[in-house]
Amino acid sequence: MAALTRAQRPNVLLGYDGTDENEPALRWAVEEARLRGLDLEMCYCWHWPYPRGHVDAAVEAIFQRAGENLLREGACRARELGARGKGAHVAAA
């Protein structure tokens, strides 16, 4: 049987927004990943507030950087809570 690639392995997926209300979900996800020996994947998304077809590359780049910064902070917090690895087991998507 061939080994699964990282993308094919099961994981725990957490929607992370950095709010105080999100902290219990982060704690749960870290513990669940630890108990099951799975990777913790974190994601962040936002609703684009403009009509379909509206493109503003500068604004989109700002939102993307803000999301990346938030996920970086979330991954750091997850590691503080005991998640394994430095990016290998806590990944921001």
Side-chain angles (χ1 to χ4, degrees):
M1 181 174 197
L4 296 176
T5 66
R6 187 176 172 286
Q8 294 171 318
R9 289 195 314 256
N11 58 60
V12 174
L13 176 63
L14 170 69
Y16 185 76
D17 65 8
T19 62
D20 289 342
E21 293 80 10
N22 198 210
E23 181 73 10
L26 175 60
R27 289 177 178 277
W28 173 87
V30 167
E31 182 65 6
E32 193 69 16
R34 186 190 66 76
L35 288 172
R36 295 177 182 263
L38 300 175
D39 291 347
L40 173 60
E41 296 282 338
M42 299 174 77
C43 67
Y44 174 74
C45 65
W46 65 89
H47 174 64
W48 184 252
Y50 302 105
R52 284 185 184 264
H54 177 82
V55 177
D56 185 333
V59 172
E60 192 173 339
I62 291 168
F63 279 123
Q64 183 172 351
R65 280 194 313 273
E68 289 168 354
N69 290 336
L70 182 68
L71 285 174
R72 199 172 7 265
E73 291 172 13
C76 181
R77 178 72 181 123
R79 284 188 289 278
E80 288 172 1
L81 292 170
R84 300 175 298 159
K86 184 182 177 195
H89 296 282
V90 178

